Amino acid sequence: MAIEVRNIVKKFGSFAALDSVDLKVADGELLALLGPSGSGKTTLLRIIAGLDWPDAGEVSIDGENALVRGASERQVGFVFQHYALFRHMTVFENVAFGLRVQPRAIRKDEATIRARVKELLDLVQLDWLANRYPSQLSGGQRQRIALARALAIEPRILLLDEPFGALDAKVRKELRQWLRSLHNEIHVTSIFVTHDQEEALEVANRVVVMDRGRIEQVGTPGEVYDNPATAFVHGFIGESIVLPVDVSGDAVRLDGRPLNIAAHGAASGAAKLFIRRHDMAIGPAGTGSLEGAVRHVRSFGPIQRAEVALSGGGGRTVIEIDAPRDRELEAGEIVSLQPRRYRIFAAQD
Amino acid sequence: MSMQPGYVTSTTRMRGYAPAADVSVAAPSPRRQSARPLPIAAPRDLRTEPGPIRFIIIALAVTFLSIFVVLPLVVVFAQAFSKGISAYLGALAEPEALAAIRLTLLVAAISVTLNLVFGVIAAWAISKFDFAGKTFLITLIDLPFSVSPVISGLVFVLLFGAQGFFGPWLQAHNVHILFAVPGIALATIFVTFPFVARALIPLMQEQGTLEEEAAISLGASGLQTFFRVTLPNIKWGLLYGVLLCNARAMGEFGAVSVVSGHIRGETNTMPLLVEILYNEYQFVSSFAIASLLAMLALITLVVKTILERRLDEGRVPDGD
């Protein structure tokens, strides 16, 4: 089901958790809400679920106004970061809960409920845990049960609030891939909240980057990584080198020295130059627009990460670059650097 | 402890460069070496005291408990059975004693039931919602604990007595509150109000609202959420509160004494009758009824211990 959010405002006291947010989610999408803590992503998710109420704005699910319905009437599957399984019920009863509380008129008979729960436990590959209690399960198992429980009500949309946030790194990776393939299987429109960019880029069809109650950019993982719309997105997604520069006309200067790059229409004045670590070409001294001394090299996998102290500005500016292993760098070596790809954003403060 | 080996390898690998990195490489080495036995002989265990001191402390505690708790309890039963078991049973079969037992059970049933409902509502409101004046409400719930029971009783005399606030209106409509069951029940409810709420508030605050939110998002109504999720989660705490509430309701003396009027066979509860009989030198009858209250206390203690164990089990943190 498609979801549409228009002009949502939510304040906690004087703090604006959401500041006129608009968002459209297409049917069958797997969307990530990505942002640092306090960016409003969880609040937005809870408003769509009906667990929080906006101060202004509209939410519609499948074309109908969702705000006239409470959370229990929205038929929205919600998965919590800390699972929120019913601790006094077995895994089986947890999954069956949504079916047992249905109004008598549409409630299924016991045999149908049992068959459905069995089917869901098979789907999350945990049918052998049916008679255990949540406290006897591992974190990854609990989260899969929580997902099965949410799917039991045949939700129109599925909302996941930092679903893997409380799990350790290895389990998180496994569950990520599992969620991806599960979505391919059942195709329910899903939104998940995360502060982990890798998770968002790896799992979602589209990523919504949020900061301070506003949406900074919406796009495919490739778009937000390669064409960040704002300085925030560039800094938040992927690792970037950020240098304070001055733009006048088409010239860009660092510490008063001109850099051999074009301003690409950036407004004159103070600005920030963003370069991905791996987008810096390394050459012998005197061939590029930046020059510096290699201070320290660490090699792992296909790359070597070098700390370079830029000359000029008293050598105080130290940047980290990633270079392929084919050209061995050594501490103490003077290298010249040339940005291959870069973005310039006007300095905000 | 020698850090030298780790230090040397790290510097050579770093080609004598980047001194900051040395620290970070060398730092874990003490932990790696902790597997070796400690060279110093371990001093005596700091978590415990030497034998004689332990013995003295435990002996003091046991003596104190025996004198102030066990001895009086033994005396109660000794006095109750001093004229034999038939005198004991006879004293309990007196119409006055039976009336007192009936009244006590009735008052306890009324006040525990009402406090159960009010206590759950108050704890629910305090732990699951945020509203202005929450701290004030919590303080107010504790009020009966901090006020002398006699004052609690007097409050009702001032409200419902002949000279009291509602007195004339009640007299005009022929409603009896003071010196009757309603007055005794009211005073008992007031005195025992905090028990259920106090037992539930910390428990419910600790459990938070996540499971309720999950239930609602799964389509449960408010009542379904309460009876299927909230209530099962608090049942041991609730029983615990009810148990203490009941013990106090049956044993309350001060507040009930003020509002009861001591009408024999009508408004005397068990504690009041114990005092009256004692003042009339009917020691066997007095201690026979006292022994019933003492047994109530003992049963309460046992059940309380069991419930506390259940509560701790329910509280086992469900870590990852």
Side-chain angles (χ1 to χ4, degrees):
Chain A
M1 306 274 166
I3 307 166
E4 198 174 343
V5 166
R6 277 180 300 272
N7 219 1
I8 290 285
V9 177
K10 174 73 181 176
K11 289 201 167 95
F12 294 112
S14 61
F15 172 73
L18 290 172
D19 187 3
S20 59
V21 165
D22 292 279
L23 182 64
K24 275 187 185 171
V25 187
D27 187 26
E29 240 187 323
L30 177 52
L31 188 90
L33 293 181
L34 174 65
S37 51
S39 58
K41 53 195 191 309
T42 294
T43 308
L44 179 58
L45 197 76
R46 289 175 59 88
I47 285 174
I48 296 172
L51 297 172
D52 259 328
W53 234 252
D55 296 328
E58 293 166 50
V59 177
S60 69
I61 298 173
D62 197 26
E64 53 179 59
N65 182 5
L67 292 180
V68 296
R69 292 163 180 271
S72 60
E73 298 166 332
R74 285 193 200 177
Q75 217 183 340
V76 165
F78 200 96
V79 175
F80 296 82
Q81 178 177 5
H82 295 289
Y83 331 117
L85 292 175
F86 305 126
R87 66 191 90 187
H88 62 283
M89 293 182 201
T90 60
V91 162
F92 185 94
E93 285 305 317
N94 262 283
V95 178
F97 185 89
L99 301 170
R100 295 204 193 283
V101 297
Q102 278 179 336
R104 211 172 292 271
I106 59 164
R107 196 185 304 160
K108 318 257 188 318
D109 60 82
E110 185 63 24
T112 318
I113 290 178
R114 294 203 153 264
R116 174 90 182 116
V117 173
K118 175 89 179 51
E119 195 181 306
L120 285 160
L121 288 176
D122 282 340
L123 180 72
V124 298
Q125 297 149 10
L126 290 176
D127 49 318
W128 50 287
L129 289 177
N131 295 318
R132 302 273 188 90
Y133 283 88
S135 58
Q136 300 167 302
L137 269 50
S138 74
Q141 290 169 340
R142 286 184 207 181
Q143 199 54 293
R144 283 194 279 170
I145 296 299
L147 191 57
R149 181 179 70 174
L151 291 173
I153 59 169
E154 286 168 41
R156 301 193 293 165
I157 54 175
L158 186 60
L159 306 175
L160 306 101
D161 183 11
E162 301 254 11
F164 314 130
L167 303 170
D168 59 60
K170 187 162 168 288
V171 180
R172 201 184 306 177
K173 270 225 148 104
E174 283 168 16
L175 277 189
R176 240 186 243 172
Q177 284 155 2
W178 178 78
L179 176 65
R180 175 85 251 177
S181 56
L182 184 77
H183 183 259
N184 285 341
E185 217 172 297
I186 59 176
H187 269 301
V188 56
T189 310
S190 309
I191 305 181
F192 75 100
V193 157
T194 180
H195 61 264
D196 179 346
Q197 44 162 311
E198 206 184 311
E199 194 167 291
L201 299 180
E202 210 172 278
V203 178
N205 303 124
R206 278 202 307 156
V207 178
V208 177
V209 186
M210 296 186 67
D211 182 41
R212 286 183 275 180
R214 288 176 167 278
I215 290 179
E216 294 274 324
Q217 187 174 7
V218 183
T220 63
E223 280 166 6
V224 292
Y225 189 87
D226 293 328
N227 290 308
T230 64
F232 173 81
V233 177
H234 206 307
F236 188 73
I237 295 184
E239 308 221 53
S240 303
I241 300 162
V242 188
L243 294 169
V245 292
D246 272 307
V247 178
S248 53
D250 206 30
V252 180
R253 284 192 182 78
L254 171 67
D255 290 331
R257 287 168 303 115
L259 298 176
N260 188 18
I261 57 176
H264 288 308
S268 290
K272 280 179 176 163
L273 172 65
F274 284 82
I275 310 150
R276 297 279 182 214
R277 277 182 182 171
H278 53 82
D279 277 338
M280 200 67 111
I282 302 169
T287 56
S289 28
L290 290 162
E291 202 163 83
V294 177
R295 293 219 314 197
H296 176 59
V297 186
R298 271 179 299 155
S299 301
F300 42 84
I303 61 152
Q304 49 185 341
R305 179 158 298 167
E307 248 176 51
V308 179
L310 295 183
S311 14
R316 278 191 309 269
T317 315
V318 178
I319 60 173
E320 276 198 330
I321 58 168
D322 287 347
R325 291 286 284 271
D326 51 12
R327 187 194 180 286
E328 201 76 28
L329 288 172
E330 272 200 53
E333 188 183 349
I334 306 287
V335 291
S336 107
L337 303 167
Q338 178 64 36
R340 277 189 293 251
R341 291 165 51 99
Y342 56 88
R343 300 282 298 233
I344 298 172
F345 296 103
Q348 266 155 353
D349 38 25
Chain B
M1 280 198 223
S2 153
M3 286 199 194
Q4 214 50 29
Y7 189 82
V8 171
T9 43
S10 72
T11 25
T12 39
R13 197 173 64 234
M14 290 299 152
R15 292 172 214 139
Y17 209 76
D22 288 347
V23 178
S24 65
V25 173
S29 62
R31 212 190 311 156
R32 240 181 280 140
Q33 290 174 353
S34 69
R36 285 185 201 164
L38 283 168
I40 319 157
R44 77 177 172 80
D45 193 344
L46 291 174
R47 287 164 302 178
T48 183
E49 297 293 335
I53 294 184
R54 258 186 295 169
F55 178 79
I56 292 171
I57 293 174
I58 294 170
L60 273 175
V62 170
T63 317
F64 189 86
L65 264 179
S66 312
I67 294 173
F68 287 95
V69 179
V70 180
L71 201 61
L73 212 55
V74 172
V75 170
V76 167
F77 284 98
Q79 285 285 341
F81 288 102
S82 61
K83 298 257 167 66
I85 194 149
S86 56
Y88 175 78
L89 292 176
L92 292 182
E94 289 281 324
E96 223 176 292
L98 288 177
I101 294 170
R102 263 199 304 272
L103 179 64
T104 301
L105 291 177
L106 175 67
V107 168
I110 296 172
S111 50
V112 169
T113 311
L114 289 179
N115 275 340
L116 170 76
V117 175
F118 293 143
V120 169
I121 293 173
W124 172 274
I126 283 168
S127 57
K128 309 275 172 177
F129 300 103
D130 274 319
F131 53 89
K134 193 160 140 173
T135 331
F136 180 66
L137 186 58
I138 296 175
T139 317
L140 216 56
I141 286 175
D142 276 341
L143 185 73
F145 274 171
S146 50
V147 173
S148 157
V150 177
I151 310 293
S152 310
L154 270 178
V155 169
F156 290 100
V157 173
L158 292 176
L159 280 178
F160 303 117
Q163 320 298 325
F165 195 72
F166 297 113
W169 186 90
L170 290 171
Q171 267 177 337
H173 292 79
N174 203 20
V175 180
H176 300 286
I177 290 187
L178 279 189
F179 315 133
V181 175
I184 298 171
L186 276 175
T188 310
I189 289 170
F190 181 84
V191 173
T192 57
F193 179 75
F195 286 99
V196 173
R198 271 281 132 194
L200 290 182
I201 290 170
L203 186 67
M204 291 172 87
Q205 274 176 336
E206 183 183 284
Q207 289 177 347
T209 52
L210 269 184
E211 287 183 41
E212 278 82 7
E213 282 184 349
I216 287 167
S217 80
L218 290 167
S221 66
L223 278 180
Q224 281 173 324
T225 304
F226 179 76
F227 282 109
R228 285 170 182 257
V229 176
T230 309
L231 200 56
N233 275 344
I234 61 169
K235 61 178 178 228
W236 298 119
L238 189 60
L239 269 175
Y240 182 82
V242 163
L243 180 80
L244 294 188
C245 181
N246 180 61
R248 180 69 190 268
M250 289 189 173
E252 177 55 29
F253 180 87
V256 171
S257 175
V258 176
V259 295
S260 134
H262 305 281
I263 305 167
R264 301 193 80 141
E266 271 184 49
T267 63
N268 275 335
T269 60
M270 285 161 73
L272 298 184
L273 189 62
V274 169
E275 200 217 11
I276 291 171
L277 293 173
Y278 183 83
N279 287 342
E280 293 172 353
Y281 304 104
Q282 303 188 39
F283 293 129
V284 170
S285 308
S286 168
F287 280 103
I289 293 168
S291 75
L292 290 184
L293 289 171
M295 271 188 279
L296 169 75
L298 290 175
I299 294 168
T300 304
L301 269 180
V302 172
V303 181
K304 177 172 165 286
T305 314
I306 297 171
L307 285 181
E308 271 168 356
R309 211 166 289 160
R310 286 321 264 283
L311 263 176
D312 281 344
E313 278 166 26
R315 231 177 240 159
V316 167
D318 43 359
D320 305 325

